[in-house]
Amino acid sequence: MTFQAFKVEIFAQAKAKGFTDYELFHSGGTSFSVRVLNGEISEYKNTSSEGVCFRGTYEGKVGYAYSERMAPEIIDPMLDNAAANALIIEEEEIEKLYPGDENYPQVDSFNPALDEVDAARKIEWALAMEKYAKSLDPRVKIADYCTVITGESAMSIANSYGLDVSHRSNMAGAYLIARVEENGVTKSGYEYWFGRDFAEFDYKALAEKAVNKGLSYLGATSMESGDVPVVFDRDNTKDLFGVFASIFMAERGQKGFSMLNKDKVGEAIAAPHITLRDDGVCDLSLGSMAFDAEGVATQQKAVIENGVLKTLLYNLKSAAKDGVKSTGNASKPGFSGLITTSHTNFYLQPSQTSFDDLIKPVEKGVLITEMAGLHSGANPVSGDFSFSADGFLIEKGSIGRPIEQITVAGNFYELLKNIETVGNDLRFHSTGQGGMGMPSILVNGLRISGM
C-alpha cells in the first residue's frame, strides 16, 4: 500500500473516531555496505526499512502510534493505540500540528545514476582500495574498515491542515583505516569520502591520505605540559563542535542544560570574526532539506554572526515556549522517534586563510589531528572539556614532530571567544539529514597536559 493511499484511509477513519486533527509521518530507506579484509569480503549488508507514525489530537491531547507496515488492517488498531496514548499523557504543553509554509526552498538531493552502480562494482572498488593502500609502503600492515557504502532515504509528512511534503535523497561513501607498524609500534590513519557521484570517487587518493596520516604518526612521543596555542584540523574542529552543538538548541537552554537561552540572544558570545551558520540548504553538504520533521520550511541563518548570538535553534514546541517562530530545526530519529531539535547544515563560515597561513604565526603550539573520549570528556552544561589527543608540535610556524598521549582541556564557551583564526579548508561530513562542516581553527591558550 502506498503512502498516499494509506494516508487517505487513515485520515478518514481518524476523523470518524473523533480525532480533531491528525498527521502521518513516513520514513524509509535502503543501505548497502561492503567491507573487505585481506582481499576478501568480511562484511556485506544490503538492508531496507520503512515505517509510519500517526500523530493526532484526541480529547485535547496528542497521542502517537507506529507501524512498520502500511496496510488497511492495521489502521484501526493504530488509531485505538493513539487514542489510548493520548488519554494517559500528563504533559501540559500541547503539541500543535503545522499547516505548512507557502514556499519551500528547492533542494537537489537525489542522483538517479547512483542506482545504476551495481554491488559488483562497489566490491571491486573496495578490494582495489585495500590492495592499493597495502602496496604504498611496506610498513602498512592492514587496511582496516575498508568500506564502500551507498544509501537512499525518503521522508513524507501530511496532515489534516493540508500539509503534504516529501523528500528523497541518496548518497555514496567510502572510508579506510590504514594501520602501519615500525619497530613494534603501530599507528593508524583514517580518511573518508562522501558524495552523490562515484565519478568523483578516487580510491587511490583516499588510500594515500589514510596511509600518509598513519605514517606521519610513527615516532610520536609526549610533550611537556603548558598553556599553548592549539590548532584543530578541520575534522577535529567538526568533532569538537559536534559534541557541543546541543548548547544551541533552545529546548536545552529551557531545561537548564545549556548556558545559552533566549536572554542571551543579542549578546557577544564569540570572537568578532566568528560566524556560525545553520543552513537548511547548502551546496557543500549532502544533508540539505527543504523542511524539518514537523513540515516547517528550513532556513538560511546565522546562529552567531560577527561574534553575536543571533538565534537559538527551535522546533514548534520550544519556539512557542519562547514566543518566537520555529527555525525549521525539528528532528525525528526515524518514524518511531519523538520530535526533538537538531542542526541542519551546521558550519563555521570559512575565511580566506589557508592552513599554512593559519599555523604560520604560531611560534610554539600544538596541532590536534586525533581526539578520543569526546563524550565522556565533555560537559555540555558547563562547557568544560578534557580529551586525550594526538597530533604534532608546531614550531616557528611549521609542523614539527608527532606527539601522543597528551590531553587538551578547556571550556567551549571560552574557546568561542579565543578563536584567533578560522581557516579556508571547510569540509562537510554529512550522511543523511543535515551535516556538520568545519574548517581548521587556531585557538589561543588551551591547556595541554603531557606525560
Side-chain angles (χ1 to χ4, degrees), residues 144-206:
D144 203 1
Y145 290 92
C146 184
T147 303
V148 174
I149 64 174
T150 54
E152 180 178 329
S153 64
M155 181 173 75
S156 299
I157 313 173
N159 65 31
S160 54
Y161 293 114
L163 174 71
D164 195 346
V165 291
S166 60
H167 173 82
R168 187 185 183 194
S169 67
N170 61 0
M171 53 78 63
Y175 43 91
L176 168 70
I177 297 177
R179 302 194 189 279
V180 303
E181 183 180 332
E182 186 176 62
N183 299 325
V185 176
T186 301
K187 294 294 181 181
S188 62
Y190 172 72
E191 186 58 37
Y192 64 90
W193 169 83
F194 292 108
R196 282 203 176 91
D197 189 347
F198 273 119
E200 301 170 355
F201 173 48
D202 185 342
Y203 73 84
K204 289 185 176 181
L206 190 154

Side-chain angles (χ1 to χ4, degrees), residues 386-423:
S386 179
F387 307 134
S388 60
D390 296 336
F392 300 86
L393 285 179
I394 301 175
E395 299 173 304
K396 296 182 179 180
S398 299
I399 297 176
R401 66 175 177 86
I403 52 176
E404 64 178 0
Q405 297 180 346
I406 64 172
T407 299
V408 56
N411 180 278
F412 185 75
Y413 294 102
E414 292 301 316
L415 179 144
L416 289 173
K417 300 174 183 177
N418 293 322
I419 297 176
E420 181 72 19
T421 313
V422 177

Side-chain angles (χ1 to χ4, degrees), residues 9-275:
E9 289 290 333
I10 199 169
F11 280 7
Q13 293 190 40
K15 184 176 181 180
K17 280 182 176 288
F19 284 89
T20 54
D21 58 18
Y22 28 85
E23 175 186 271
L24 192 64
F25 178 99
H26 167 267
S27 68
T30 61
S31 64
F32 169 93
S33 68
V34 59
R35 176 182 171 188
V36 301
L37 183 65
N38 296 326
E40 297 182 350
I41 296 174
S42 61
E43 185 177 83
Y44 183 96
K45 295 181 180 179
N46 196 353
T47 62
S48 62
S49 62
E50 183 179 46
V52 288
C53 169
F54 174 85
R55 179 169 63 142
T57 305
Y58 187 79
E59 295 190 10
K61 296 183 177 180
V62 176
Y64 289 77
Y66 316 98
S67 175
E68 294 182 355
R69 296 192 304 128
M70 289 185 291
E73 63 269 20
I74 70 166
I75 292 177
D76 194 57
M78 272 190 76
L79 294 175
D80 288 343
N81 287 339
N85 291 334
L87 294 177
I88 62 174
I89 293 294
E90 296 181 356
E91 192 169 356
E92 294 183 1
E93 298 175 20
I94 301 300
E95 296 182 24
K96 293 183 178 180
L97 304 185
Y98 193 67
D101 288 294
E102 184 175 345
N103 296 301
Y104 287 89
Q106 295 295 312
V107 176
D108 182 12
S109 58
F110 189 83
N111 178 15
L114 275 184
D115 291 339
E116 299 173 7
V117 181
D118 60 19
R121 187 73 178 107
K122 300 170 199 174
I123 294 170
E124 181 183 326
W125 277 322
L127 290 168
M129 184 163 58
E130 183 200 34
K131 183 178 180 180
Y132 183 70
K134 295 174 74 172
S135 74
L136 290 171
D137 193 286
R139 291 170 291 180
V140 179
K141 300 305 179 183
I142 187 171
D144 203 1
Y145 290 92
C146 184
T147 303
V148 174
I149 64 174
T150 54
E152 180 178 329
S153 64
M155 181 173 75
S156 299
I157 313 173
N159 65 31
S160 54
Y161 293 114
L163 174 71
D164 195 346
V165 291
S166 60
H167 173 82
R168 187 185 183 194
S169 67
N170 61 0
M171 53 78 63
Y175 43 91
L176 168 70
I177 297 177
R179 302 194 189 279
V180 303
E181 183 180 332
E182 186 176 62
N183 299 325
V185 176
T186 301
K187 294 294 181 181
S188 62
Y190 172 72
E191 186 58 37
Y192 64 90
W193 169 83
F194 292 108
R196 282 203 176 91
D197 189 347
F198 273 119
E200 301 170 355
F201 173 48
D202 185 342
Y203 73 84
K204 289 185 176 181
L206 190 154
E208 288 169 2
K209 289 178 181 178
V211 168
N212 288 337
K213 282 183 181 180
L215 294 174
S216 70
Y217 295 139
L218 290 171
T221 58
S222 192
M223 60 173 287
E224 67 277 8
S225 300
D227 293 340
V228 297
V230 173
V231 172
F232 293 89
D233 73 7
R234 60 186 181 181
D235 287 333
N236 283 272
T237 303
K238 169 187 67 66
D239 291 342
L240 179 64
F241 272 77
V243 170
F244 288 100
S246 65
I247 71 172
F248 298 99
M249 313 303 167
E251 62 187 3
R252 299 287 292 178
Q254 291 168 353
K255 296 174 181 177
F257 297 143
S258 169
M259 294 177 67
L260 302 180
N261 54 49
K262 66 176 182 178
D263 295 331
K264 295 289 186 180
V265 174
E267 292 187 10
I269 66 166
H273 52 276
I274 297 301
T275 293

Side-chain angles (χ1 to χ4, degrees), residues 237 241 274-277 346-350 416 419 422 426 437-439 441:
T237 303
F241 272 77
I274 297 301
T275 293
L276 178 67
R277 296 194 61 83
F346 199 64
Y347 64 101
L348 274 175
Q349 187 166 292
L416 289 173
I419 297 176
V422 177
L426 171 67
M438 294 291 158
I441 58 172

